Amino acid sequence: MNEWTIVRRFARRIGAVQHPRLKTALNEWATTHGDWLGLGETQDWSAALAALDRDEADAAPHVLAVAAILAEALSLDAVDAALLELLVAVDRLPRVASLARLWSEQGRDLPALLGELAGASPVDADRVVRRSAALRLGLASFRVNRQGAIEVDIRWSLERLLDRASAEHVSVIDTLVGPHQPARLALDDFAHVRDASFLVRLLSGAVKARAPGINVLIHGPPGTGKTELARMLAAAAGLSLHGVGEADDDGDEPTRYDRVNALQLAQRVLAPSANAVLLFDEMEDLIGDAKPSGGDWFSGRQGSKVFINRLLETNAVPVIWTTNAIGNVDAAILRRMSFVLKLDVASPRTARRMLERVTAEEGVAADDNIACLLDRAPETATVLRVAARAARLAGDTEGSAAPAAALVRALRGSELPPQIGTSIDLDLFEADLPLEPLTERLSASGASDVSILLTGPPGTGKTAFAHHLARAIDRPLVVMRASDLLSRWVGGTERAIADAFGDARDRGHVLLFDEVDSLLFDRASASQTWEAGQVNEMLTWLDRHPLPVIAATNHAHRLDPAALRRFVFKVELAALRPERAGKAFSRFFGMSAPASLTELTNLTPGDFAAVHRQLRHSPAGSAEEIVERLRREVRSRPERGRIGF
């Protein structure tokens, strides 16, 4: 249909009604549009009807062409297809809109009129419209204005389509269901997601079998790469991924109704192709006006559970759902998921691969600073791309550590943990247990339930070794200090300890308890019963925690005797013997150690690291001057506190 034929249908039907006020309104319409109708001096309704009897072969307006393509894509029958075009015409073509308005303002039934014009019988027209695909699929509806007249209301999905799509099939489909979202990462970038390959096979098999009701839920904290994982899974399965119900950059924000409606439309359009997957980002929109609240929960849940359940059971196209929290997702919804995956930050090895890929794509350097930042704060992996892009746009091609650090501080709500070197030489550690063979064995086995107690004076490398071991077993390290856990409220410390272990278990982190003597002190010295409670809490968790735990202390003699047997390995680090001190001198300063170095005792790797940092700002003139600086470090080292390197 073109505009001329639609106006003619309206005119003939409206003109058949004999009503004085309607007659006057029609004469005014003819006068207003006389030039378009090609009327001469006589510009009244009779002349307009006579003019409309001729055929005009004008091309259909853009919006009608888009509506026709949409009707074909939705496999609408003739009446529903004609009705869809009429609804669009009433909303978007002024001449048609004015005819519909004057009809409705006279108290006439606009839906019934549209039904008749679409090809329904006069007796059945209103019912046909009310049950039409256009209304059932949420493309349009009717509303009553303040004057009591009925108007056509084009909904978000169709409005967006008419505004943005070209009159081509591909453009209509992409605009309606969301553009194809290509993968920017590969399967190797998600090596820390052990179920990734299974999910690829699941999606591929579901599409081949045309199995209904296939849903995958990916949940986890913001920035962990849920959307990128969804894109990768679809690409690895050889499928096209479309994000549904997502507004363009300049588009209006969709409501819950709009997003659910977009999902239904996408299912209907893509089902015949059998080569697509849908992405419904932020699943909380599906369960109503949900708002984040404390913990892993959303408040304000709305929407029909029955409707959602049936939607999940019958979807013809597989859907990947993502959400930051699943606490308020009803158990009935979870039971209808084919797979539920919790996604957390990438492992150190995977994070480095992501860093290499992202910096190469953005054209910035992968400097050592951002590699150190990945070790200090595992959540850095979630901001690599935005940080690299910010560095590139700022012209800072040397690296993206500064914007990444700023983002991580904001995510943490606190300052970053102390910097640890990217690599250490285990041969510089003076330990009662060979560290390199131990590290290799734990790395090979995965160290799923190992616990290690590191003791020794400040500066002997306890913290550095913990970071090194976490990198070796490819797990992020989370450092918990006494100040992070001790509470002034009774029971608060126990809750903080339980939360620390629980978070590490859920996220697969290695826990490092620094200054652990403040948490596992000898219960015989406790003056209050609640003080012993925190020790009991630590001991209980150490017994049952399934992931690696490392504890470090400068004061092993203060530990509760029962704590020692909770650790699988107990490693004592000591000051360097002369041979290792000489190696450390060569390692840190790039020259042979002078004989005077042997006169120093109680040297630790931390002393060498401190002097090495001094030399960046105050160079030494000779090896003897470096020895003197080391001597001052030994003299000034406090008996308490940690100087780790």
Side-chain angles (χ1 to χ4, degrees), residues 299-549:
S299 62
R301 186 197 188 282
Q302 296 180 1
S304 167
K305 287 174 57 177
V306 173
F307 170 79
I308 297 302
N309 292 347
R310 298 299 173 265
L311 185 70
L312 295 171
E313 291 170 351
T314 60
N315 56 301
V317 180
V319 182
I320 299 177
W321 310 82
T322 73
T323 183
N324 297 333
I326 65 169
N328 207 38
V329 179
D330 195 277
I333 293 178
L334 293 179
R335 284 197 297 270
R336 286 166 172 82
M337 291 292 155
S338 307
F339 199 94
V340 177
L341 173 70
K342 181 169 184 181
L343 187 64
D344 215 306
V345 294
S347 67
R349 193 171 298 126
T350 301
R352 280 177 167 74
R353 284 200 298 268
M354 293 172 63
L355 175 62
E356 293 174 1
R357 181 188 294 271
V358 168
T359 52
E361 291 174 355
E362 295 294 336
V364 296
D367 61 4
D368 290 340
N369 290 328
I370 197 165
C372 288
L373 190 59
L374 284 170
D375 287 332
R376 297 161 63 194
E379 57 266 47
T380 304
T382 69
V383 300
L384 288 176
R385 187 169 294 278
V386 290
R389 186 167 299 163
R392 173 174 57 81
L393 293 174
D396 187 3
T397 57
E398 294 302 315
S400 52
L407 289 168
V408 173
R409 286 191 194 97
L411 290 173
R412 282 177 163 248
S414 63
E415 280 301 312
L416 299 173
Q419 182 169 344
I420 301 295
T422 56
S423 62
I424 61 174
D425 186 353
L426 293 180
D427 198 36
L428 300 183
F429 284 70
E430 200 72 65
D432 62 348
L433 185 68
L435 297 182
E436 190 162 356
L438 174 63
T439 302
E440 291 175 355
R441 288 194 298 270
L442 294 179
S443 176
S445 66
S448 59
D449 59 352
V450 71
S451 54
I452 301 175
L453 175 64
L454 303 174
T455 63
T460 49
K462 297 183 292 296
T463 304
F465 176 68
H467 280 265
H468 176 78
L469 181 60
R471 284 195 296 267
I473 61 179
D474 198 27
R475 290 185 183 273
L477 181 75
V478 174
V479 181
M480 304 301 297
R481 295 176 176 81
S483 58
D484 300 321
L485 300 171
L486 294 176
S487 171
R488 60 178 175 171
W489 307 109
V490 174
T493 300
E494 289 89 330
R495 284 192 295 271
I497 292 170
D499 289 343
F501 277 101
D503 288 344
R505 178 196 59 210
D506 293 341
R507 301 185 178 190
H509 292 169
V510 176
L511 267 178
L512 168 61
F513 288 99
D514 210 355
E515 305 165 356
V516 76
D517 50 280
S518 298
L519 301 169
L520 286 176
F521 57 86
D522 191 342
R523 284 170 289 184
S525 64
S527 58
Q528 303 291 336
T529 56
W530 55 264
E531 291 179 312
Q534 69 185 48
V535 179
N536 295 334
E537 186 74 17
M538 280 287 294
L539 294 175
T540 301
W541 275 102
L542 285 172
D543 279 335
R544 67 188 187 191
H545 189 61
L547 293 175
V549 179

Side-chain angles (χ1 to χ4, degrees), residues 16-17 55 63 88 93 95 98 160 213 250 260 290 346 354 415 471 513 535 591 603 614 617 637:
V17 178
D55 290 329
V63 291
V88 169
L93 303 182
R95 284 177 281 269
S98 59
R160 183 168 174 263
D250 58 346
V260 174
M354 293 172 63
E415 280 301 312
R471 284 195 296 267
F513 288 99
V535 179
M591 63 181 74
L603 277 172
Q614 293 175 17
H617 309 287
R637 186 191 313 131

